[in-house]
């Protein structure tokens, strides 16, 4: 039924259009004057720009009328019809909207998209600025701009009086010079011994005043599994030797310091006993440490709280220590904030940290290349640098090594600088700028070269010259090549500017 109704609607529209067409054939569709003034037709690189002004002088389209202005590029070998400008009367515009509403998405995508469709219901004088771009093709070198006018949509087209404009001889604007950046990476210092550490925080649950771990008690299964997973990953890796296990117990800051020390050390010792029953590490590898009352953890917890007393609590932590700090917290605002912290925050401050210190064997380049594919965390920055240089400079594999390095060594300045250089080599300005901003020590000429290239890609020529000159003065050869790139870019910019005048 819905299909039949849609079909009947389309038939009615066709009949209506036929009526409108016959009316348009019998008399002009509009009053007033329409003229066209070509502005320019120019080639710029791979594109052709068509610009003209359509001038309306007291134009009013009749209710059932329409007029289409159709620009064309005309040559002896070919003709290209450009998107039209369509002015429609009141009823004709309503019909146009109904037809669009009845079309499916595929039907809409198949139809030619006009440049402009407007309803014209009263006399108006104005200029429609027509600006359109098409891919340049060789035949257009001998083409000129002409314009057709169709008053009825029935194919009876009249050529308008338009000044002939040649598409190529009118103007030619060169494309901006595409800079070829010359990059310099920094080789990290080799590590004779690759010492590493890894740690996990565990929020173990103990019964009140107890120091014995019950593996199935409350959330202990999940927390203990986190510790075992870390140790197991290191223990089964044949390239790793575990040297030390620190078990650090932190206490929440209520009660006495002596009592907290006793509970925290006892709970850390309980964790040692739990691990000793499951692993065959030498007893000398275990070290039980009292981390103290966890005031730092309380500071971090406060950042996530949206409570009016937060600033007052932070001030007490900053300005006092020892028992006075605790007493002032308990008295603050009648004790309500302290009771909230005691119930909701303090339990999470009773944390045990298992920290494993280990070292990783050193690899030659071929070994490191294979390790890079499966366990890149076992490589040093220098080993990653050597792996990167087994690939073509600037290749996907080459860049991927430096981007992996900065993820594994996020605090290392060399890793951040090399990651910025890798991003610049693929013209990722945003990523490069983010990494360069994070570099703390900026005295290396490679940093100045990277900052200069970044400024060049952002068209900041003054900063480009300043940074690159610093790198040149420091003896970095590629910086001189980038200064040459700057000169080429500035020269084409001047040519483009002069031709646009």
């Amino acid at each position: 039924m819905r299909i039949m109704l849609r079909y009947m609607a389309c038939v009615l529209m066709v009949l209506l259009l036929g009526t409108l067409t016959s009316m348009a054939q019998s008399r002009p569709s509009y009053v007033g004057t329409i003229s066209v003034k070509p502005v320019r037709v120019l080639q710029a690189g791979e594109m052709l720009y068509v610009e003209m002004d359509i001038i309306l002088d007291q134009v009013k389209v009749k209710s059932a009328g329409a007029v289409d202005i159709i620009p064309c590029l005309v040559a002896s070998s070919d003709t290209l019809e450009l998107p039209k400008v369509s002015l429609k009367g009141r009823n004709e515009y309503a019909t146009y909207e109904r037809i669009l509403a009845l079309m499916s998405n595929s039907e809409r995508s198949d139809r030619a998209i006009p440049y402009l469709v407007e309803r014209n219901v009263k006399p108006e004088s104005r200029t429609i600025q027509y600006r359109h771009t098409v891919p340049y093709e060789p035949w257009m070198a001998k083409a000129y701009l002409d314009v057709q006018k169709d008053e009825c949509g029935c194919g009876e087209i009249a050529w308008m009086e338009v000044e002939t404009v040649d598409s190529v001889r009118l103007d030619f604007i060169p494309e901006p010079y595409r800079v070829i950046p010359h990059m310099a990476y920094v080789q990290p210092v080799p590590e004779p011994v690759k010492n590493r550490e890894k740690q996990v925080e565990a929020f173990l649950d103990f019964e009140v005043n107890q120091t014995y771990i019950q593996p199935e008690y409350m959330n202990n299964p999940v927390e203990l599994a986190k510790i075992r997973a870390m140790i197991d990953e290191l223990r089964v890796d044949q390239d790793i030797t575990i040297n030390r296990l620190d078990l650090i117990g932190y206490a929440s800051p209520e009660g006495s310091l002596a009592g907290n020390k006793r509970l925290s050390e006892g709970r850390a010792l309980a964790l040692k006993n739990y691990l000793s029953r499951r692993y065959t590490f030498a007893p000398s590898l275990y070290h039980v440490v009292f981390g103290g009352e966890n005031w730092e953890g309380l500071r971090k917890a406060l950042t996530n709280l949206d409570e009016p007393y937060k600033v007052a609590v932070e001030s007490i932590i900053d300005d006092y220590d020892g028992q006075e700090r605790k007493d002032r917290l308990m008295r603050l605002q009648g004790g309500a904030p302290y009771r909230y912290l005691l119930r909701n925050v303090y339990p999470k401050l009773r944390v045990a940290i298992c920290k494993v210190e280990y070292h990783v064997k050193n690899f030659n380049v071929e070994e490191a290349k294979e390790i890079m594919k499966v366990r890149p965390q076992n490589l040093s920055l220098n080993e990653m640098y050597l792996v990167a240089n087994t690939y073509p400079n600037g290749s996907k594999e080459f860049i991927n090594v430096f981007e992996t390095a900065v993820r594994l060594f996020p605090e290392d300045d060399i890793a951040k600088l090399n990651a910025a250089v890798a991003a610049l080599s693929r013209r990722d300005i945003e990523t490069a700028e983010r990494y360069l901003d994070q570099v703390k020590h900026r005295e290396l000429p490679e940093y100045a070269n990277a900052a200069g290239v970044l400024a060049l890609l952002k068209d900041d020529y003054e900063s480009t010259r300043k940074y690159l000159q610093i790198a040149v003065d420091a003896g970095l050869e590629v910086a001189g090549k980038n200064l040459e790139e700057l000169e080429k870019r500035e020269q084409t910019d001047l040519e483009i500017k002069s031709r646009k005048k």
Side-chain angles (χ1 to χ4, degrees):
M1 183 66 177
R2 184 178 298 173
I3 296 174
M4 181 62 70
L5 289 174
R6 179 171 173 172
Y7 174 77
M8 293 174 64
C10 289
V11 170
L12 289 173
M13 288 300 168
V14 171
L15 292 174
L16 179 59
L17 285 172
T19 303
L20 293 174
T21 299
S22 62
M23 292 171 62
Q25 289 173 334
S26 62
R27 61 182 185 276
S29 294
Y30 68 95
V31 295
T33 304
I34 301 176
S35 58
V36 174
K37 178 183 177 182
V39 176
R40 62 179 180 175
V41 180
L42 61 92
Q43 177 195 357
E46 298 180 355
M47 305 304 294
L48 190 76
Y49 297 83
V50 178
E51 302 178 4
M52 65 180 183
D53 291 339
I54 302 172
I55 302 168
L56 309 183
D57 183 11
Q58 290 298 303
V59 172
K60 178 182 181 299
V61 180
K62 297 178 180 178
S63 181
V67 56
D68 293 341
I69 310 300
I70 310 167
C72 297
L73 283 173
V74 181
S76 59
S77 60
D78 213 335
T79 298
L80 176 65
E81 184 177 297
L82 303 176
K84 65 184 179 181
V85 171
S86 183
L87 303 176
K88 299 182 181 295
R90 188 188 309 275
N91 293 344
E92 181 69 13
Y93 189 83
T95 301
Y96 167 77
E97 287 190 318
R98 293 190 194 101
I99 293 174
L100 281 182
L102 289 170
M103 284 184 176
S104 64
N105 289 334
S106 61
E107 289 170 334
R108 289 187 185 185
S109 61
D110 290 341
R111 67 190 297 270
I113 300 175
Y115 182 84
L116 177 70
V117 178
E118 284 191 348
R119 186 175 67 165
N120 177 274
V121 297
K122 60 182 179 180
E124 58 180 336
S125 297
R126 64 188 180 96
T127 298
I128 299 173
Q129 292 186 332
Y130 187 99
R131 307 291 185 262
H132 187 64
T133 306
V134 296
Y136 179 77
E137 298 179 21
W139 68 267
M140 296 175 183
K142 297 183 180 181
Y144 59 89
L145 175 66
D146 224 327
V147 181
Q148 302 169 340
K149 181 173 66 175
D150 182 356
E151 286 195 50
C152 62
C154 55
E156 294 188 2
I157 296 173
W159 292 96
M160 301 183 70
E161 293 185 4
V162 180
E163 177 186 351
T164 299
V165 180
D166 187 90
S167 64
V168 174
R169 287 199 299 269
L170 175 68
D171 201 355
F172 174 79
I173 297 180
E175 288 185 315
Y177 175 71
R178 183 174 173 82
V179 170
I180 303 173
H182 298 272
M183 310 311 304
Y185 293 83
V186 179
Q187 181 168 2
V189 177
E191 292 181 73
V193 180
K194 295 187 299 188
N195 290 317
R196 302 285 185 268
E197 66 177 43
K198 197 170 185 179
Q199 69 178 37
V200 167
E201 288 189 355
F203 299 92
L204 299 174
D205 292 303
F206 294 85
E207 292 185 353
V208 178
N209 288 326
Q210 295 299 310
T211 59
Y212 174 74
I213 292 179
Q214 299 184 48
E216 303 303 323
Y217 182 64
M218 296 182 68
N219 203 42
N220 285 348
V222 174
E223 298 300 305
L224 292 170
K226 286 163 36 178
I227 297 176
R228 293 197 307 272
M230 176 191 67
I231 294 175
D232 290 343
E233 180 185 357
L234 299 174
R235 190 171 58 92
V236 300
D237 191 332
Q238 296 181 356
D239 297 326
I240 284 176
T241 301
I242 295 177
N243 301 321
R244 180 183 175 108
L245 290 94
D246 283 339
L247 305 174
I248 309 167
Y250 286 91
S252 54
E254 82 276 18
S256 69
L257 179 61
N260 286 332
K261 185 175 187 297
R262 179 183 60 81
L263 281 174
S264 296
E265 286 180 338
R267 289 168 177 174
L269 183 60
L271 179 57
K272 173 193 169 183
N273 294 334
Y274 171 83
L275 296 176
S276 296
R277 292 193 297 270
R278 283 157 179 78
Y279 299 105
T280 58
F281 298 124
S284 60
L285 264 59
Y286 290 99
H287 296 268
V288 174
V289 181
F290 172 49
E293 294 177 329
N294 199 358
W295 292 104
E296 190 58 38
L298 178 57
R299 289 178 193 273
K300 292 179 181 178
L302 288 171
T303 62
N304 298 320
L305 287 183
D306 184 19
E307 297 289 347
Y309 54 75
K310 181 170 75 171
V311 174
V313 173
E314 290 173 336
S315 297
I316 291 174
I317 296 174
D318 292 338
D319 297 340
Y320 302 94
D321 56 19
Q323 190 60 41
E324 185 177 3
R325 178 192 280 172
K326 297 180 182 181
D327 292 342
R328 286 182 175 271
L329 278 179
M330 286 189 285
R331 292 196 303 266
L332 179 66
Q333 297 181 14
Y338 181 78
R339 288 191 293 273
Y340 176 86
L341 294 174
L342 195 63
R343 183 174 60 255
N344 298 288
V345 177
Y346 277 27
K348 298 175 183 177
L349 304 181
R350 302 161 196 155
V351 60
I353 294 179
C354 179
K355 182 171 70 174
V356 182
E357 295 180 5
Y358 60 96
H359 73 258
V360 187
K361 67 171 284 189
N362 291 318
F363 304 99
N364 62 38
V365 175
E366 291 306 314
E367 290 173 333
K369 198 169 182 178
E370 293 304 311
I371 293 294
M372 186 75 201
K373 299 174 184 176
V374 290
R375 292 188 302 279
Q377 67 272 18
N378 283 359
L379 298 179
S380 68
L381 278 175
N382 182 66
E383 288 168 337
M384 290 187 183
Y385 178 88
L386 297 176
V387 168
N389 281 279
T390 65
Y391 300 109
N393 195 319
S395 66
K396 180 180 178 181
E397 295 84 359
F398 179 89
I399 292 172
N400 181 63
V401 173
F402 291 108
E403 292 180 339
T404 301
V406 78
R407 289 196 296 270
L408 294 174
F409 298 89
E411 301 303 319
D412 190 280
D413 272 358
I414 299 301
K416 287 182 280 194
L417 175 54
N418 284 342
V421 174
L424 286 171
S425 69
R426 54 185 175 85
R427 297 177 184 270
D428 184 347
I429 293 175
E430 182 178 345
T431 299
E433 189 166 26
R434 185 175 74 251
Y435 283 131
L436 282 180
D437 286 344
Q438 295 173 11
V439 175
K440 296 184 179 70
H441 304 288
R442 304 180 177 186
E443 62 278 357
L444 290 174
E446 289 84 356
Y447 175 87
N449 184 70
V453 170
L454 175 64
L456 179 55
L457 295 178
K458 294 173 67 176
D459 297 333
D460 180 358
Y461 300 155
E462 182 179 351
S463 296
T464 299
R465 187 169 283 103
K466 179 188 75 173
Y467 282 117
L468 291 179
Q469 193 59 55
I470 291 172
V472 168
D473 293 343
L476 191 63
E477 183 180 348
V478 295
K481 296 180 180 179
N482 285 324
L483 280 175
E484 294 174 5
E485 292 295 306
L486 171 62
E487 293 173 2
K488 293 176 183 177
R489 180 58 184 262
E490 288 181 317
Q491 182 60 39
T492 58
D493 284 358
L494 286 174
E495 292 178 13
I496 292 171
K497 187 176 180 179
S498 64
R499 288 181 179 271
K500 284 186 174 180
K501 289 183 179 179

